[in-house]
């Protein structure tokens, strides 16, 4: 199973193919049951999820991360051109 990273507050997908590495046919997906009930999308941390298939239980990890604030690196390139005009 995949380790999935999700931003805090983001709804989890219920599409099993988002959690399984191998390609899945529709028939296989219809026989799989995903359990995301242990995942709290409102609190950062690592949570276990399970997928049941053919009487086996597979466990994966979902990591909920806080969104990092974006740091603006824009520098104000405007300059005071009044000095240039006075020199003309």
């Amino acid at each position: 199973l995949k380790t999935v990273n999700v931003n805090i507050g983001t709804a989890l997908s219920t599409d099993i193919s988002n959690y399984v590495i191998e390609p899945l046919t529709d028939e296989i997906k219809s026989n799989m049951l995903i359990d995301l009930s242990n995942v709290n999308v409102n609190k950062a941390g690592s949570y276990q999820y399970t997928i049941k298939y053919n009487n086996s239980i597979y466990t994966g990890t979902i990591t909920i991360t806080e969104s990092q604030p974006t740091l603006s690196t824009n520098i104000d390139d405007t300059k005071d051109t009044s000095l240039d005009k006075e020199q003309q």
Side-chain angles (χ1 to χ4, degrees), residues 25-40:
T25 65
D26 288 339
E27 181 181 347
I28 291 173
K29 284 197 281 188
S30 68
N31 289 308
M32 296 178 120
L33 181 63
I34 189 166
D35 181 359
L36 301 169
S37 63
N38 292 327
V39 181
N40 181 352

Side-chain angles (χ1 to χ4, degrees), residues 5-53:
N5 295 310
V6 179
N7 283 335
I8 198 166
T10 303
L12 295 174
S13 170
T14 55
D15 183 350
I16 289 181
S17 41
N18 288 324
Y19 302 95
V20 178
I21 296 169
E22 296 83 12
L24 302 172
T25 65
D26 288 339
E27 181 181 347
I28 291 173
K29 284 197 281 188
S30 68
N31 289 308
M32 296 178 120
L33 181 63
I34 189 166
D35 181 359
L36 301 169
S37 63
N38 292 327
V39 181
N40 181 352
V41 296
N42 296 311
K43 184 177 180 186
S46 291
Y47 300 91
Q48 300 295 307
Y49 70 95
T50 59
I51 293 180
K52 294 179 185 176
Y53 179 68

Side-chain angles (χ1 to χ4, degrees), residues 47-65:
Y47 300 91
Q48 300 295 307
Y49 70 95
T50 59
I51 293 180
K52 294 179 185 176
Y53 179 68
N54 279 348
N55 296 320
S56 295
I57 298 174
Y58 304 91
T59 303
T61 302
I62 296 176
T63 302
I64 306 297
T65 56

